[in-house]
């Protein structure tokens, strides 16, 4: 095997390209690591520590730099996945998960070298801040699609109580987001060894990963610490946000369940840091927001800590307190379809479910929602048919959590003088998804971005028609070309696929965006009047020629 590796390297070094190939052994701030040279011309380094193990005294603490490893590390396998909320991994799956999980993977062209200065794409996976739901994304396909012109980095970060436990006093909040910043700092320090340019880093992510981008844009009042230089977010998720003190009930509930109630906060924390992880994992599930009776989909998450974050996202973007870099935001046509309750058969069911997710919603505000998202007269005739009310709830939730935030953020950039802002709608239909009643569901475009052969099931279910020879194979190619163009040049048009629409910048008057359609077709469209009014209602922002209301979500 060793001989085979060196033969491959030799072929790269003697290639007619005349470039020195990237050795699979790299010297990093935390020691020497050996990767794997793949036959396709891409090299990979898997399972590299970017922070010290968050164990013992470091449990529930901010991440710290990893110590140099003793000897050469063989980066051949992915690191463990961070523990999800309230799920104890089965014995069969236990090896894939661990509290010691702060690892990243790097994918780079094998012909690259330390002076290549290739654009870098750092991708934050989603999971509602309660799981790492897209682990082990393989960047090989994206590197190949870039014609060996980019470096891709993916990583794990702490979620659920492990990353977002806060007592409102002693514990440092938002450690999951601090993990992400630690990964970015590691990339900044080390990516040149893989052929990447530390001064050309594009931050990407989906769902909570895209929401994370929004938080990093607004961290410390929008102070630019040089960690990234452009950003692209798919279906950024805005949920209910508490202050650190308001979130103390989550801490209190957990310590009672695990039996760590003590006579002082410090003694309670000492207990939490000593008990087996299984105890916390078994009892770390979400609980209802105060005043509610049902658990929300995603309870653990970022809080306003008056350190990293002093205002909710909506206020930060409204006030212009964010880093001004080129951005792409967008969402899928039916972003709420996979989340809403299948038992929604009345408006009362719909209202109760919405208040479970957004407890600040009053009866008056719920009535405004129901009026703004009311079904057409034809559909109302068959209400309270279950599918009818579930469809309406899916639209409300999808717009409130995903679609309208992307439009709001896209408009905030030109509102504050940063004109390099683009928006999209992923409307690529897969027959199996359509027949399942989910339409074009949440973050389904991840399979297109990384390529259907480079995402790991069961973490991501690849639409059948995205594969080679199927109807949406071209949609994969088209998306990758736009994204790679943006990663390389901060503009999605520079290297877009031939015959595709020119992606116009977001027009805050017309609310312009690019629509991706079935088969790889693309076309510019304007956000419709009805959706614009709904978003105006949610965010108290009157878009030109649109009527706004007086309700906003907290986030």
């Amino acid at each position: 095997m060793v001989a085979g590796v060196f033969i491959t390297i030799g072929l790269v070094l003697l290639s007619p390209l005349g470039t020195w190939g990237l050795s699979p052994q790299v010297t990093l701030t935390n020691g020497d690591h050996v990767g794997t040279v793949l036959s396709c011309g891409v090299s990979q380094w898997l399972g590299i520590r970017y922070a010290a193990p968050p164990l013992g005294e470091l449990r529930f603490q901010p991440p710290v730099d990893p110590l140099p490893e003793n000897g050469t590390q063989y980066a051949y396998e992915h690191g463990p996945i961070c523990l999800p909320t309230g799920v104890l991994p089965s014995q069969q799956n236990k090896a894939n998960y661990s509290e010691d999980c702060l690892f990243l993977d790097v994918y780079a062209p094998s012909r690259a070298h330390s002076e290549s200065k290739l654009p870098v794409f750092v991708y934050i996976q989603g999971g509602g801040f309660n799981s790492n739901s897209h682990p082990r994304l393989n960047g090989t396909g994206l590197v190949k699609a870039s014609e060996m012109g980019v470096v891709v980095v993916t990583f794990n970060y702490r979620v659920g109580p492990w990353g977002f436990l806060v007592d409102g006093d002693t514990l440092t909040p938002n450690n999951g987001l601090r993990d992400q910043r630690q990964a970015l700092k590691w990339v900044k320090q080390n990516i040149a060894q893989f052929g990447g340019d530390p001064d050309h880093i594009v931050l990407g992510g989906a769902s909570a990963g895209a929401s994370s981008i929004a938080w990093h844009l607004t961290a410390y009042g929008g102070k630019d610490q040089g960690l990234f230089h452009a950003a692209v977010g798919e279906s950024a998720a805005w949920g209910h946000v508490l202050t650190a003190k308001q979130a103390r009930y989550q801490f209190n509930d957990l310590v009672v369940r695990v039996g760590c109630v003590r006579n002082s906060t410090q003694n309670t924390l000492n207990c939490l840091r000593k008990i087996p992880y299984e105890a916390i994992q078994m009892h770390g599930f979400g609980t209802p927001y105060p005043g509610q009776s049902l658990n929300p989909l995603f309870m653990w998450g970022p809080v306003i800590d008056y350190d990293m974050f002093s205002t909710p996202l909506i206020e930060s973007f409204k006030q212009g307190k964010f880093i001004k870099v080129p951005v792409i935001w967008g969402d899928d046509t039916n972003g709420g379809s996979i989340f809403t309750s299948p038992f929604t058969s009345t408006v009362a069911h719909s209202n109760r479910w919405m208040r479970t997710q957004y407890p600040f919603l009053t009866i008056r505000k719920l009535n405004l929602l129901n009026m703004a998202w009311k079904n057409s007269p034809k559909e109302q005739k068959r209400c309270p048919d279950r599918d009818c009310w579930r469809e309406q709830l899916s639209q409300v939730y999808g717009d409130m959590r995903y679609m309208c935030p992307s439009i709001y953020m896209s408009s905030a950039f030109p509102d504050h003088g940063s004109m390099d802002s683009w928006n999209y709608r992923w409307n690529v239909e897969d027959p199996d998804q359509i027949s399942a009643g989910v339409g074009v569901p949440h973050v389904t475009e991840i399979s297109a971005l990384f390529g259907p052969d480079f995402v790991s099931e069961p973490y991501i279910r690849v639409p059948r028609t995205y594969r080679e020879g199927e109807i949406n194979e071209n949609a994969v190619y088209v998306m990758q070309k736009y994204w790679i163009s943006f990663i390389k040049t901060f503009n999605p048009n520079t290297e877009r696929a031939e015959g595709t629409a020119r992606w116009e910048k977001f027009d805050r008057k017309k609310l312009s965006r690019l629509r991706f359609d079935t088969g790889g077709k693309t076309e510019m469209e304007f956000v419709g009047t009805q959706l614009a009014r709904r978003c105006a209602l949610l965010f108290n922002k009157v878009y030109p020629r649109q009527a706004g209301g007086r309700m906003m979500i907290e986030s």
Side-chain angles (χ1 to χ4, degrees):
M1 180 179 292
V2 174
V5 170
F6 280 98
I7 289 172
T8 304
I9 297 170
L11 290 173
V12 174
L13 295 179
L14 298 176
S15 71
L17 294 171
T19 58
W20 290 100
L22 181 62
S23 167
Q25 180 162 326
V26 290
T27 299
L28 309 174
T29 53
N30 48 318
D32 289 349
H33 288 69
V34 177
T36 304
V37 179
L38 306 177
S39 60
C40 63
V42 176
S43 293
Q44 64 181 24
W45 292 260
L46 308 178
I48 301 176
R49 286 192 185 276
Y50 68 85
L55 307 174
E57 292 301 312
L58 292 181
R59 180 185 279 181
F60 308 128
Q61 289 279 66
V64 298
D65 291 337
L67 295 174
E69 305 276 2
N70 293 323
T72 299
Q73 302 301 306
Y74 294 93
Y76 296 161
E77 297 181 354
H78 296 285
I81 304 166
C82 293
L83 294 165
T85 299
V87 177
L88 198 60
S90 65
Q91 199 63 35
Q92 180 182 5
N93 211 16
K94 200 170 183 179
N96 291 330
Y97 292 86
S98 174
E99 185 180 356
D100 180 10
C101 63
L102 300 183
F103 298 91
L104 55 74
D105 302 332
V106 181
Y107 303 85
S110 298
R111 69 188 187 190
H113 54 83
S114 60
E115 299 299 322
S116 293
K117 292 190 177 298
L118 297 176
V120 181
F121 186 49
V122 181
Y123 197 81
I124 307 175
Q125 62 182 300
F129 297 112
N130 283 254
S131 70
N132 285 177
S133 62
H134 309 134
R136 301 182 177 174
L137 286 168
N138 188 332
T140 300
L142 204 52
V143 176
K144 289 173 60 180
S146 74
E147 299 178 347
M148 305 300 174
V150 303
V151 175
V152 177
V153 180
T154 61
F155 64 94
N156 292 326
Y157 58 96
R158 285 174 290 176
V159 291
W162 306 102
F164 294 97
L165 183 68
V166 59
D167 66 350
D169 182 23
T170 304
L171 286 175
T172 302
N174 299 312
N175 286 325
L177 291 173
R178 295 176 193 274
D179 289 347
Q180 296 174 7
R181 295 180 80 83
Q182 173 72 14
L184 289 170
K185 291 174 184 176
W186 187 98
V187 169
K188 187 85 172 173
Q189 294 172 344
N190 292 281
I191 204 63
Q193 302 306 312
F194 303 92
D197 184 351
D199 296 319
H200 189 127
I201 297 172
V202 177
L203 192 54
S207 193
S211 177
S212 297
I213 295 173
W215 286 110
H216 293 308
L217 285 166
T218 61
Y220 303 106
K223 181 180 180 181
D224 190 351
Q225 298 181 343
L227 297 178
F228 57 95
H229 310 94
V232 50
E234 298 115 32
S235 303
W238 284 19
H240 184 53
V241 175
L242 304 169
T243 67
K245 290 193 179 297
Q246 287 172 334
R248 183 176 173 83
Y249 79 92
Q250 301 168 358
F251 174 86
N252 291 339
D253 286 350
L254 180 62
V255 298
V256 168
R257 289 182 205 147
V258 300
C260 276
V261 178
R262 298 292 186 269
N263 59 359
S264 71
T265 300
Q266 189 57 55
N267 288 340
T268 298
L269 290 176
N270 290 339
C271 174
L272 284 175
R273 291 191 171 114
K274 290 178 181 178
I275 62 175
Y277 84 89
E278 290 91 346
I280 294 175
Q281 190 63 18
M282 204 161 38
H283 296 287
F285 51 83
T287 54
Y289 289 118
Q292 302 302 309
S293 59
L294 299 176
N295 294 348
L297 292 174
F298 311 105
M299 183 194 73
W300 303 101
V303 297
I304 305 302
D305 58 6
Y306 302 102
D307 174 27
M308 284 183 74
F309 311 111
S310 297
T311 58
L313 290 178
I314 188 171
E315 288 301 319
S316 296
F317 281 100
K318 181 180 179 180
Q319 297 170 19
K321 294 180 179 179
F322 57 88
I323 303 172
K324 313 303 189 297
V325 294
V327 290
I328 293 174
W329 302 104
D331 189 27
D332 309 82
T333 298
N334 307 107
S337 62
I338 62 173
F339 297 103
T340 50
S341 171
F343 304 106
T344 305
S345 59
T346 67
V347 68
H349 290 164
S350 176
N351 288 349
R352 185 184 185 195
W353 191 90
M354 284 299 297
R355 287 202 69 191
T356 297
Q357 317 308 322
Y358 297 100
F360 63 87
L361 289 173
T362 63
I363 295 299
R364 178 180 174 275
K365 292 176 179 178
L366 286 167
N367 286 338
L368 287 173
L369 288 180
N370 293 329
M371 290 174 61
W373 275 265
K374 66 181 178 181
N375 295 284
S376 67
K378 180 180 178 181
E379 290 173 325
Q380 284 188 26
K381 289 180 181 179
R382 63 185 179 89
C383 283
D385 178 88
R386 174 175 296 175
D387 291 338
C388 172
W389 286 109
R390 184 185 182 188
E391 180 182 345
Q392 182 177 3
L393 178 58
S394 296
Q395 290 177 351
V396 176
Y397 184 69
D399 288 347
M400 192 168 184
R401 188 172 177 89
Y402 304 112
M403 183 68 77
C404 292
S406 81
I407 295 171
Y408 185 85
M409 288 187 289
S410 291
S411 66
F413 280 79
D415 281 349
H416 293 281
S418 183
M419 306 310 294
D420 292 332
S421 176
W422 291 266
N423 191 276
Y424 75 91
R425 176 165 69 99
W426 187 257
N427 192 47
V428 177
E429 294 184 345
D430 174 77
D432 295 338
Q433 292 176 333
I434 298 299
S435 64
V438 295
V440 183
H442 183 55
V443 297
T444 192
E445 70 269 41
I446 292 178
S447 296
L449 175 58
F450 282 86
D453 295 329
F454 296 96
V455 296
S456 299
E457 296 199 30
Y459 308 113
I460 298 175
R461 187 164 296 175
V462 178
R464 173 178 52 84
T465 54
Y466 285 27
R467 298 193 180 278
E468 185 177 355
E470 298 287 347
I471 188 174
N472 286 318
E473 176 188 5
N474 192 50
V476 173
Y477 173 73
V478 167
M479 182 187 187
Q480 287 183 330
K481 292 294 287 184
Y482 278 119
W483 260 243
I484 289 166
S485 177
F486 185 78
I487 293 167
K488 288 182 176 181
T489 70
F490 303 154
N491 187 318
N493 294 297
T494 313
E495 297 186 16
R496 73 181 192 274
E498 184 177 352
T500 54
R502 180 173 182 79
W503 195 341
E504 303 297 336
K505 293 180 181 180
F506 189 81
D507 188 314
R508 52 187 172 157
K509 294 182 179 179
K510 298 178 180 178
L511 306 184
S512 50
R513 63 184 178 182
L514 182 69
R515 187 182 70 243
F516 292 85
D517 283 328
T518 307
K521 297 178 182 178
T522 55
E523 183 178 350
M524 289 300 300
E525 68 175 11
F526 301 130
V527 173
T529 300
Q530 189 178 40
L531 177 57
R533 286 176 176 169
R534 291 170 175 174
C535 294
L537 172 67
L538 291 172
F539 296 122
N540 199 28
K541 176 181 175 65
V542 180
Y543 292 103
R545 296 179 300 205
Q546 311 294 348
R550 284 288 175 184
M551 190 189 75
M552 64 180 69
I553 69 170
E554 293 181 14
S555 187

